[in-house]
Amino acid sequence: MAAILGIESTCDETAAAVVVEGRRVRSNIVATQFDLHAKYRGVVPEIASRAHIQNILPVLREALDSAGLALGQIDAVAVAHRPGLIGSLLIGVTAAKALAWSIHKPLIGVDHVHAHLYSVLLDGQADPEMPAVGMVVSGGHTALYRVAAMDEVALIGSTIDDAVGEAYDKVAAILGLGFPGGPILDALAAEGDARAIAFPRSMLDRDSLDFSFSGLKTAVLYHVRGKQGRQRTAADLTQQEIRDVAASFQAACIDVLLTKVRRAVQQTQAGSVIVGGGVSANRGLRRSLAALGLPVYLPAAPYCTDNAAMTAGLAYLDFRRGRFSRLDLDAVTSSRFIREL
Ligand code: KG4
Ligand code: ZN
């Protein structure tokens, strides 16, 4: 019964978790930094890394305590060592190395985006039919993958500008709402008219599996400003107008995501769809995916946004095969999945 301690610090969440046999989550502790970044309407890297330093030890202690395990009962230490903000990554990587070394247990570095795909397996969910189309929709990434097996993943499309979560956060800022914007817009969208405003859907070329969300974000900005460059702001809109913008923006995002998933399924002959990352919590997206006509696997609520359970879970695939990282494991800002041209 291998128990792996996972550590996540790629962006603005400090997280630690204990997962048994890659599936059973014994503890899942996440310290968010929303309050620290809210007034800047986005993550400030220097503030994030400082907060990771303050949070990492208490979060690790809590993950062990609530799993009811002593450090000596851990079989390996896993860490998301890429991709992310360099200053943030370094805190988790350094903590993981020090821990693994001090308890004489293996260190396993994993890719955070890969872990988002793995998150659908946590807490005893069923295995997806393979090959699957994987889609990661988060604040930092929007990409499609061909998943032949959970540890055999290839990138087949990605955003050429903003990530969809980033677009949510920026649109929320344009509308004068809080941070992160995703959950706020999701709730407002439920009460708005999705057909009120015809925002653009950027599909790129006919067969393209790439994404572009910056035009949509700019269209929302121009809509809020009003005709002939009137300097209207969100404060001039009624509550119902704000809800309509949220619903129309969300409908455009979902249209694009669903169109690309359908294309990817066709091109890869996939038998199922796996979706992970913060935006996979979106209620509208979940509803639309359910109507895809193919089995769709989504993470349970606690594993949509950044967490360390998915890190510890994914690391189990390497642990089983005795594939360990060396103690000179680096923090790397880019994902290990790159486009095969
Ligand atoms: O996966 P995640 O926690 O961090 C990254 O790896 O980037 O994703 C965070 C992103 C944020 O942009 C946030 O606004 C978005 O996920 N998000 C949502 C929802 N919940 C979180 N977007 C849309 N609808 C939601 N319910
Ligand atoms: Zn993430």
Side-chain angles (χ1 to χ4, degrees), residues 174-175 196-199 216-227 230 232-233 237 241-242 244-246 248:
I174 292 167
L175 293 176
I197 308 135
F199 286 130
L216 171 58
K217 171 196 68 189
T218 309
V220 174
L221 178 66
Y222 286 163
H223 174 81
V224 170
R225 280 194 186 158
K227 291 203 173 66
R230 267 201 299 136
R232 194 170 66 164
T233 69
L237 300 183
E241 281 171 332
I242 300 257
D244 289 347
V245 172
S248 302

Side-chain angles (χ1 to χ4, degrees), residues 47-67:
I47 294 176
S49 51
R50 212 173 311 140
H52 283 306
I53 295 174
Q54 285 164 347
N55 291 339
I56 189 82
L57 291 180
V59 163
L60 278 165
R61 258 189 220 108
E62 206 181 328
L64 287 167
D65 286 352
S66 69

Side-chain angles (χ1 to χ4, degrees), residues 8 61 144 189 203 218 220 226 228 230 266-268 299 318 324:
E8 150 67 40
R61 258 189 220 108
L144 286 162
M203 299 297 176
T218 309
V220 174
Q228 280 112 32
R230 267 201 299 136
Q266 238 166 27
Q267 292 179 24
T268 59
D318 283 339
F324 306 138

